[in-house]
Amino acid sequence: MGDLDYEEAEQEDNSEPEINQGKETGCFRKFQNLIIPPEFRDRYMQRANCRPPPIFIIGISIAELAVFIYYALWKPHKQWVTLDEGIWKSPLTYDPAKRQEAWRFVSYMFIHAGVGHIFGNLVMQLLLGIPLEMVHKGHEVGLVYLAGVLAGSLASSIFDPLTVLVGASGGVYALYGGYFINAVVNFKQMKLIFGVTRILIIVLIGRFPSVSFVAHLGGIVAGLTIGYVFFIKFNTKLCKNPLFWICILGYAVFLIFAVFFNIFISPAS
């Protein structure tokens, strides 16, 4: 009898949510149509709502755009398409020679090197972040995004230690990694990746050419690990899942090693 009850409960847990025909969340529909294949949209829509609205991803995008406009209008530069002197001397830019100013490991996300650079990042993070935030809410998406920004600069400081960084690509790629792990584990379908990959390719075509691929890779790995912690199974308890603790431990070990490397080993010292 106990086994029968367990099987019934398991069937209930694995059952598909009831489709809510004609009652879709309007503000979400525009974004999820671009990313999610038709056969999975109704299931994902059951989890999405605008209460609260996607404040984090919209707010961080506005802040990044405001900082870009500030440097484009009031700081010395030769053209809008590619900013130069103003951003490289900014107290927000990650400069290996000024690593003791620890805020630079995160604040570099507000600085962008030109119109193409910020346009690509804003488009990508809005298309990925808004749908994610409507399901997983701002504090979770925000933590994944910031974990990617920090992992990007730390990874660059280790493997590309003399490179100056600007841009929010670490956070953007963390959203991509988080979406990937969310799609694979929650929906168990690789087809869900096609929309994000399509958008990623389109955006990369017009990206600023001088990029730190190490920072991008660090962002993706952070998205896969911290994204697993926050996005998997739509907030069900994962404390008994070994992968949950492996992801947390792995990111923590990386942070500790990166701090040690920057203080005692880095050739940029």
Side-chain angles (χ1 to χ4, degrees), residues 150-169:
L150 181 58
S153 60
L154 290 175
S156 180
S157 71
I158 296 172
F159 299 104
D160 199 6
L162 302 180
T163 297
V164 177
L165 291 181
V166 295
S169 296

Side-chain angles (χ1 to χ4, degrees), residues 108 121 144-145 147-150 152 167-175 215-216 218-220 222:
Y108 76 98
N121 278 343
V144 172
Y145 185 90
V149 170
L150 181 58
S169 296
V172 173
Y173 280 78
L175 293 180
H216 292 178
I220 289 180

